[in-house]
Amino acid sequence: MARRIYWLLLIATVIAGIIFYFYRDDIIEESLFVILLILSITFVAGIHGIIAHTLNPSLKGGLIAYPVLMGILFSILFFLYIFLITPMFFPNFLSGLKY
């Protein structure tokens, strides 16, 4: 039952992201940034819930690789958010960085 909830959360997040992508010009930039942040958090929560409820508790509890793999997954999703998703919504997002 929990996996279904996480799948629904993941699907709803993707659909909402597509809708906000097509209507991004009609939304104020600051509020769109907050909406995008909330959508990315719910997307990550959906993926984590699906993976966490797929594994057996005995396997997950005695496995050191599970927290490491979750950390790697969160890092990959964070970099995708910063360097792929956010520039799709805000084209000048990375051009304002000063080195």
Side-chain angles (χ1 to χ4, degrees), residues 45-96:
I47 289 177
H48 178 265
I50 290 169
I51 292 172
H53 284 55
T54 302
L55 296 174
N56 294 334
S58 61
L59 176 68
K60 194 170 37 175
L63 191 65
I64 189 65
Y66 175 73
V68 172
L69 291 176
M70 280 296 149
I72 292 170
L73 175 70
F74 289 149
S75 300
I76 290 170
L77 290 175
F78 176 73
F79 283 111
L80 285 176
Y81 171 73
I82 293 295
F83 294 111
L84 184 70
I85 303 297
T86 305
M88 282 176 34
F89 281 84
F90 306 104
N92 296 328
F93 179 72
L94 293 176
S95 64

Short mmCIF file of all heavy atoms in Angstrom, two decimals, residues 45-96:
data_model
loop_
_atom_site.label_atom_id
_atom_site.label_comp_id
_atom_site.label_asym_id
_atom_site.label_seq_id
_atom_site.Cartn_x
_atom_site.Cartn_y
_atom_site.Cartn_z
N ALA A 45 11.28 12.54 -2.40
CA ALA A 45 10.58 11.74 -1.39
C ALA A 45 9.88 10.53 -2.02
O ALA A 45 9.87 9.45 -1.44
CB ALA A 45 9.57 12.60 -0.65
N GLY A 46 9.30 10.72 -3.19
CA GLY A 46 8.66 9.60 -3.88
C GLY A 46 9.65 8.51 -4.28
O GLY A 46 9.39 7.33 -4.08
N ILE A 47 10.79 8.91 -4.82
CA ILE A 47 11.81 7.93 -5.20
C ILE A 47 12.35 7.22 -3.97
O ILE A 47 12.51 6.00 -3.97
CB ILE A 47 12.94 8.61 -5.99
CG1 ILE A 47 12.43 9.01 -7.36
CG2 ILE A 47 14.14 7.69 -6.13
CD1 ILE A 47 13.42 9.74 -8.20
N HIS A 48 12.62 7.98 -2.91
CA HIS A 48 13.13 7.36 -1.68
C HIS A 48 12.10 6.39 -1.10
O HIS A 48 12.46 5.30 -0.65
CB HIS A 48 13.48 8.43 -0.66
CG HIS A 48 13.95 7.86 0.63
ND1 HIS A 48 13.10 7.66 1.69
CD2 HIS A 48 15.16 7.41 1.03
CE1 HIS A 48 13.78 7.13 2.69
NE2 HIS A 48 15.03 6.97 2.31
N GLY A 49 10.84 6.77 -1.09
CA GLY A 49 9.80 5.89 -0.56
C GLY A 49 9.65 4.61 -1.35
O GLY A 49 9.47 3.53 -0.77
N ILE A 50 9.74 4.71 -2.67
CA ILE A 50 9.63 3.51 -3.49
C ILE A 50 10.80 2.57 -3.22
O ILE A 50 10.63 1.36 -3.04
CB ILE A 50 9.57 3.90 -4.99
CG1 ILE A 50 8.23 4.57 -5.29
CG2 ILE A 50 9.75 2.68 -5.88
CD1 ILE A 50 8.17 5.22 -6.64
N ILE A 51 12.01 3.12 -3.18
CA ILE A 51 13.19 2.27 -2.94
C ILE A 51 13.17 1.71 -1.52
O ILE A 51 13.45 0.53 -1.30
CB ILE A 51 14.47 3.06 -3.20
CG1 ILE A 51 14.59 3.37 -4.69
CG2 ILE A 51 15.70 2.28 -2.73
CD1 ILE A 51 15.72 4.29 -5.03
N ALA A 52 12.83 2.53 -0.53
CA ALA A 52 12.86 2.08 0.86
C ALA A 52 11.80 1.02 1.13
O ALA A 52 12.03 0.12 1.94
CB ALA A 52 12.65 3.27 1.79
N HIS A 53 10.65 1.10 0.47
CA HIS A 53 9.61 0.11 0.73
C HIS A 53 9.73 -1.10 -0.18
O HIS A 53 8.97 -2.04 -0.05
CB HIS A 53 8.23 0.76 0.58
CG HIS A 53 7.87 1.60 1.76
ND1 HIS A 53 8.66 2.62 2.22
CD2 HIS A 53 6.80 1.59 2.58
CE1 HIS A 53 8.10 3.19 3.25
NE2 HIS A 53 6.97 2.59 3.50
N THR A 54 10.67 -1.09 -1.10
CA THR A 54 10.92 -2.26 -1.93
C THR A 54 11.83 -3.25 -1.22
O THR A 54 11.67 -4.45 -1.35
CB THR A 54 11.53 -1.83 -3.28
OG1 THR A 54 10.62 -0.92 -3.91
CG2 THR A 54 11.76 -3.01 -4.18
N LEU A 55 12.79 -2.74 -0.46
CA LEU A 55 13.74 -3.61 0.24
C LEU A 55 13.10 -4.21 1.49
O LEU A 55 12.26 -3.59 2.13
CB LEU A 55 14.98 -2.81 0.64
CG LEU A 55 15.80 -2.24 -0.50
CD1 LEU A 55 16.91 -1.37 0.06
CD2 LEU A 55 16.38 -3.35 -1.35
N ASN A 56 13.56 -5.39 1.85
CA ASN A 56 13.11 -6.02 3.10
C ASN A 56 13.76 -5.32 4.28
O ASN A 56 14.92 -4.91 4.21
CB ASN A 56 13.51 -7.49 3.11
CG ASN A 56 12.79 -8.29 2.06
OD1 ASN A 56 11.70 -7.92 1.64
ND2 ASN A 56 13.40 -9.36 1.61
N PRO A 57 13.06 -5.20 5.41
CA PRO A 57 13.65 -4.53 6.58
C PRO A 57 14.90 -5.23 7.10
O PRO A 57 15.84 -4.58 7.57
CB PRO A 57 12.54 -4.55 7.62
CG PRO A 57 11.29 -4.69 6.85
CD PRO A 57 11.64 -5.49 5.63
N SER A 58 14.94 -6.56 7.03
CA SER A 58 16.13 -7.25 7.52
C SER A 58 17.33 -6.97 6.62
O SER A 58 18.45 -6.81 7.10
CB SER A 58 15.87 -8.76 7.57
OG SER A 58 15.57 -9.26 6.29
N LEU A 59 17.11 -6.87 5.32
CA LEU A 59 18.19 -6.56 4.39
C LEU A 59 18.65 -5.11 4.56
O LEU A 59 19.84 -4.82 4.56
CB LEU A 59 17.74 -6.81 2.95
CG LEU A 59 18.72 -6.45 1.85
CD1 LEU A 59 19.91 -7.41 1.90
CD2 LEU A 59 18.05 -6.52 0.51
N LYS A 60 17.69 -4.22 4.76
CA LYS A 60 18.00 -2.81 4.89
C LYS A 60 18.71 -2.51 6.20
O LYS A 60 19.60 -1.66 6.25
CB LYS A 60 16.70 -2.00 4.79
CG LYS A 60 16.90 -0.56 4.59
CD LYS A 60 15.61 0.20 4.25
CE LYS A 60 14.40 -0.30 4.96
NZ LYS A 60 13.22 0.51 4.70
N GLY A 61 18.35 -3.19 7.26
CA GLY A 61 18.95 -2.93 8.57
C GLY A 61 20.38 -3.41 8.69
O GLY A 61 21.19 -2.79 9.36
N GLY A 62 20.72 -4.51 8.06
CA GLY A 62 22.06 -5.05 8.18
C GLY A 62 22.97 -4.65 7.04
O GLY A 62 24.07 -5.16 6.91
N LEU A 63 22.54 -3.75 6.23
CA LEU A 63 23.29 -3.40 5.03
C LEU A 63 23.87 -2.00 5.18
O LEU A 63 23.13 -1.03 5.36
CB LEU A 63 22.34 -3.45 3.83
CG LEU A 63 22.92 -3.37 2.45
CD1 LEU A 63 23.79 -4.60 2.17
CD2 LEU A 63 21.81 -3.33 1.43
N ILE A 64 25.18 -1.88 5.13
CA ILE A 64 25.81 -0.56 5.21
C ILE A 64 25.71 0.17 3.87
O ILE A 64 25.78 1.39 3.81
CB ILE A 64 27.28 -0.68 5.67
CG1 ILE A 64 27.89 0.69 5.97
CG2 ILE A 64 28.12 -1.37 4.62
CD1 ILE A 64 27.26 1.40 7.11
N ALA A 65 25.52 -0.58 2.81
CA ALA A 65 25.46 0.03 1.48
C ALA A 65 24.18 0.82 1.27
O ALA A 65 24.16 1.73 0.44
CB ALA A 65 25.59 -1.05 0.42
N TYR A 66 23.11 0.50 2.00
CA TYR A 66 21.84 1.21 1.81
C TYR A 66 21.97 2.70 2.10
O TYR A 66 21.57 3.52 1.25
CB TYR A 66 20.74 0.57 2.67
CG TYR A 66 19.43 1.33 2.62
CD1 TYR A 66 18.64 1.29 1.49
CD2 TYR A 66 19.01 2.10 3.70
CE1 TYR A 66 17.45 1.98 1.43
CE2 TYR A 66 17.83 2.80 3.65
CZ TYR A 66 17.05 2.74 2.52
OH TYR A 66 15.89 3.45 2.46
N PRO A 67 22.52 3.13 3.25
CA PRO A 67 22.66 4.58 3.46
C PRO A 67 23.63 5.23 2.47
O PRO A 67 23.42 6.36 2.05
CB PRO A 67 23.20 4.70 4.88
CG PRO A 67 22.97 3.41 5.53
CD PRO A 67 22.87 2.39 4.45
N VAL A 68 24.66 4.50 2.10
CA VAL A 68 25.62 5.04 1.13
C VAL A 68 24.94 5.23 -0.23
O VAL A 68 25.08 6.27 -0.88
CB VAL A 68 26.86 4.13 1.01
CG1 VAL A 68 27.76 4.57 -0.12
CG2 VAL A 68 27.61 4.09 2.33
N LEU A 69 24.19 4.23 -0.67
CA LEU A 69 23.48 4.34 -1.94
C LEU A 69 22.42 5.43 -1.92
O LEU A 69 22.22 6.13 -2.91
CB LEU A 69 22.86 2.99 -2.32
CG LEU A 69 23.86 1.89 -2.68
CD1 LEU A 69 23.13 0.58 -2.93
CD2 LEU A 69 24.67 2.30 -3.89
N MET A 70 21.75 5.60 -0.79
CA MET A 70 20.77 6.69 -0.67
C MET A 70 21.47 8.04 -0.73
O MET A 70 20.96 8.98 -1.35
CB MET A 70 19.97 6.56 0.62
CG MET A 70 18.86 5.57 0.54
SD MET A 70 17.66 6.13 -0.65
CE MET A 70 17.07 4.61 -1.26
N GLY A 71 22.62 8.15 -0.12
CA GLY A 71 23.38 9.40 -0.18
C GLY A 71 23.83 9.71 -1.60
O GLY A 71 23.76 10.85 -2.05
N ILE A 72 24.27 8.68 -2.32
CA ILE A 72 24.66 8.87 -3.72
C ILE A 72 23.45 9.25 -4.57
O ILE A 72 23.53 10.16 -5.41
CB ILE A 72 25.33 7.59 -4.26
CG1 ILE A 72 26.69 7.39 -3.58
CG2 ILE A 72 25.49 7.65 -5.77
CD1 ILE A 72 27.32 6.05 -3.87
N LEU A 73 22.32 8.61 -4.32
CA LEU A 73 21.10 8.94 -5.05
C LEU A 73 20.67 10.38 -4.79
O LEU A 73 20.32 11.11 -5.73
CB LEU A 73 19.96 7.98 -4.66
CG LEU A 73 18.60 8.28 -5.27
CD1 LEU A 73 18.62 8.00 -6.76
CD2 LEU A 73 17.52 7.50 -4.57
N PHE A 74 20.69 10.81 -3.53
CA PHE A 74 20.32 12.19 -3.21
C PHE A 74 21.29 13.18 -3.84
O PHE A 74 20.88 14.24 -4.31
CB PHE A 74 20.26 12.40 -1.71
CG PHE A 74 19.10 11.73 -1.04
CD1 PHE A 74 19.20 11.27 0.26
CD2 PHE A 74 17.90 11.54 -1.70
CE1 PHE A 74 18.13 10.65 0.88
CE2 PHE A 74 16.83 10.92 -1.09
CZ PHE A 74 16.94 10.47 0.20
N SER A 75 22.57 12.84 -3.89
CA SER A 75 23.55 13.73 -4.53
C SER A 75 23.30 13.85 -6.02
O SER A 75 23.34 14.96 -6.58
CB SER A 75 24.96 13.20 -4.29
OG SER A 75 25.25 13.13 -2.93
N ILE A 76 23.02 12.74 -6.67
CA ILE A 76 22.74 12.77 -8.11
C ILE A 76 21.48 13.57 -8.40
O ILE A 76 21.46 14.41 -9.31
CB ILE A 76 22.63 11.33 -8.66
CG1 ILE A 76 23.99 10.65 -8.65
CG2 ILE A 76 22.04 11.33 -10.07
CD1 ILE A 76 23.94 9.17 -8.95
N LEU A 77 20.43 13.35 -7.60
CA LEU A 77 19.19 14.10 -7.81
C LEU A 77 19.37 15.58 -7.53
O LEU A 77 18.79 16.43 -8.21
CB LEU A 77 18.07 13.52 -6.95
CG LEU A 77 17.57 12.14 -7.37
CD1 LEU A 77 16.56 11.61 -6.37
CD2 LEU A 77 16.97 12.19 -8.77
N PHE A 78 20.21 15.93 -6.56
CA PHE A 78 20.48 17.33 -6.26
C PHE A 78 21.21 18.01 -7.42
O PHE A 78 20.85 19.12 -7.83
CB PHE A 78 21.30 17.46 -4.97
CG PHE A 78 21.70 18.87 -4.66
CD1 PHE A 78 20.76 19.77 -4.21
CD2 PHE A 78 23.01 19.29 -4.81
CE1 PHE A 78 21.11 21.08 -3.92
CE2 PHE A 78 23.38 20.58 -4.52
CZ PHE A 78 22.43 21.48 -4.08
N PHE A 79 22.22 17.34 -7.97
CA PHE A 79 22.94 17.91 -9.10
C PHE A 79 22.06 18.00 -10.34
O PHE A 79 22.19 18.95 -11.13
CB PHE A 79 24.22 17.15 -9.37
CG PHE A 79 25.32 17.48 -8.40
CD1 PHE A 79 25.75 16.55 -7.48
CD2 PHE A 79 25.88 18.74 -8.38
CE1 PHE A 79 26.75 16.86 -6.57
CE2 PHE A 79 26.88 19.06 -7.47
CZ PHE A 79 27.31 18.12 -6.57
N LEU A 80 21.18 17.04 -10.55
CA LEU A 80 20.22 17.14 -11.64
C LEU A 80 19.30 18.33 -11.46
O LEU A 80 18.97 19.02 -12.42
CB LEU A 80 19.41 15.85 -11.77
CG LEU A 80 20.12 14.65 -12.38
CD1 LEU A 80 19.20 13.43 -12.34
CD2 LEU A 80 20.54 14.95 -13.79
N TYR A 81 18.89 18.58 -10.22
CA TYR A 81 18.03 19.72 -9.93
C TYR A 81 18.75 21.03 -10.21
O TYR A 81 18.20 21.93 -10.84
CB TYR A 81 17.56 19.66 -8.47
CG TYR A 81 16.84 20.90 -8.02
CD1 TYR A 81 15.55 21.17 -8.45
CD2 TYR A 81 17.44 21.80 -7.16
CE1 TYR A 81 14.89 22.31 -8.05
CE2 TYR A 81 16.79 22.94 -6.74
CZ TYR A 81 15.51 23.19 -7.19
OH TYR A 81 14.87 24.32 -6.80
N ILE A 82 20.00 21.14 -9.75
CA ILE A 82 20.75 22.39 -9.90
C ILE A 82 21.16 22.64 -11.35
O ILE A 82 21.03 23.75 -11.85
CB ILE A 82 21.98 22.39 -8.98
CG1 ILE A 82 21.57 22.42 -7.52
CG2 ILE A 82 22.91 23.56 -9.29
CD1 ILE A 82 20.87 23.69 -7.10
N PHE A 83 21.67 21.62 -12.03
CA PHE A 83 22.27 21.84 -13.34
C PHE A 83 21.39 21.46 -14.52
O PHE A 83 21.75 21.76 -15.66
CB PHE A 83 23.59 21.07 -13.44
CG PHE A 83 24.63 21.60 -12.50
CD1 PHE A 83 25.05 20.85 -11.42
CD2 PHE A 83 25.17 22.86 -12.69
CE1 PHE A 83 26.01 21.33 -10.55
CE2 PHE A 83 26.12 23.36 -11.82
CZ PHE A 83 26.55 22.59 -10.74
N LEU A 84 20.24 20.83 -14.30
CA LEU A 84 19.39 20.44 -15.42
C LEU A 84 17.98 21.02 -15.29
O LEU A 84 17.49 21.69 -16.21
CB LEU A 84 19.33 18.91 -15.53
CG LEU A 84 18.54 18.36 -16.71
CD1 LEU A 84 19.30 18.63 -18.00
CD2 LEU A 84 18.30 16.88 -16.53
N ILE A 85 17.33 20.78 -14.16
CA ILE A 85 15.94 21.17 -14.01
C ILE A 85 15.79 22.69 -13.84
O ILE A 85 15.00 23.32 -14.54
CB ILE A 85 15.29 20.43 -12.82
CG1 ILE A 85 15.42 18.92 -13.00
CG2 ILE A 85 13.86 20.86 -12.62
CD1 ILE A 85 14.69 18.37 -14.19
N THR A 86 16.54 23.26 -12.91
CA THR A 86 16.40 24.69 -12.65
C THR A 86 16.77 25.54 -13.87
O THR A 86 16.04 26.49 -14.17
CB THR A 86 17.25 25.09 -11.42
OG1 THR A 86 16.87 24.27 -10.32
CG2 THR A 86 17.00 26.54 -11.05
N PRO A 87 17.84 25.24 -14.62
CA PRO A 87 18.07 26.03 -15.84
C PRO A 87 17.00 25.87 -16.92
O PRO A 87 16.85 26.74 -17.76
CB PRO A 87 19.42 25.50 -16.35
CG PRO A 87 20.10 25.01 -15.15
CD PRO A 87 19.02 24.43 -14.30
N MET A 88 16.24 24.76 -16.89
CA MET A 88 15.13 24.64 -17.84
C MET A 88 14.04 25.64 -17.53
O MET A 88 13.42 26.20 -18.43
CB MET A 88 14.56 23.22 -17.81
CG MET A 88 15.38 22.22 -18.55
SD MET A 88 14.82 20.51 -18.44
CE MET A 88 13.07 20.60 -18.37
N PHE A 89 13.79 25.89 -16.25
CA PHE A 89 12.76 26.83 -15.84
C PHE A 89 13.27 28.27 -15.83
O PHE A 89 12.53 29.19 -16.11
CB PHE A 89 12.23 26.46 -14.45
CG PHE A 89 11.25 25.34 -14.46
CD1 PHE A 89 11.68 24.03 -14.46
CD2 PHE A 89 9.89 25.57 -14.47
CE1 PHE A 89 10.79 22.98 -14.47
CE2 PHE A 89 8.98 24.54 -14.49
CZ PHE A 89 9.43 23.23 -14.49
N PHE A 90 14.52 28.45 -15.46
CA PHE A 90 15.15 29.77 -15.37
C PHE A 90 16.40 29.76 -16.23
O PHE A 90 17.47 29.36 -15.76
CB PHE A 90 15.51 30.11 -13.92
CG PHE A 90 14.37 29.99 -12.96
CD1 PHE A 90 14.28 28.91 -12.10
CD2 PHE A 90 13.37 30.93 -12.94
CE1 PHE A 90 13.23 28.78 -11.23
CE2 PHE A 90 12.31 30.81 -12.06
CZ PHE A 90 12.23 29.74 -11.20
N PRO A 91 16.32 30.21 -17.47
CA PRO A 91 17.47 30.11 -18.39
C PRO A 91 18.71 30.88 -17.92
O PRO A 91 19.82 30.49 -18.24
CB PRO A 91 16.95 30.72 -19.69
CG PRO A 91 15.47 30.63 -19.60
CD PRO A 91 15.14 30.70 -18.15
N ASN A 92 18.56 31.93 -17.14
CA ASN A 92 19.71 32.71 -16.68
C ASN A 92 20.17 32.30 -15.28
O ASN A 92 20.88 33.06 -14.62
CB ASN A 92 19.38 34.19 -16.69
CG ASN A 92 19.11 34.69 -18.09
OD1 ASN A 92 19.69 34.19 -19.03
ND2 ASN A 92 18.21 35.65 -18.22
N PHE A 93 19.78 31.14 -14.82
CA PHE A 93 20.09 30.73 -13.45
C PHE A 93 21.58 30.55 -13.22
O PHE A 93 22.14 31.04 -12.24
CB PHE A 93 19.35 29.42 -13.12
CG PHE A 93 19.60 28.90 -11.74
CD1 PHE A 93 19.07 29.55 -10.65
CD2 PHE A 93 20.38 27.77 -11.54
CE1 PHE A 93 19.28 29.08 -9.37
CE2 PHE A 93 20.60 27.30 -10.28
CZ PHE A 93 20.06 27.95 -9.19
N LEU A 94 22.26 29.86 -14.10
CA LEU A 94 23.69 29.61 -13.91
C LEU A 94 24.58 30.68 -14.52
O LEU A 94 25.77 30.72 -14.23
CB LEU A 94 24.06 28.24 -14.52
CG LEU A 94 23.47 27.03 -13.81
CD1 LEU A 94 23.82 25.76 -14.56
CD2 LEU A 94 23.95 26.96 -12.39
N SER A 95 24.03 31.57 -15.33
CA SER A 95 24.86 32.59 -15.95
C SER A 95 25.20 33.71 -14.97
O SER A 95 26.14 34.46 -15.20
CB SER A 95 24.16 33.17 -17.17
OG SER A 95 22.97 33.84 -16.78
N GLY A 96 24.49 33.80 -13.86
CA GLY A 96 24.77 34.84 -12.89
C GLY A 96 25.86 34.49 -11.90
O GLY A 96 26.21 35.28 -11.05
#
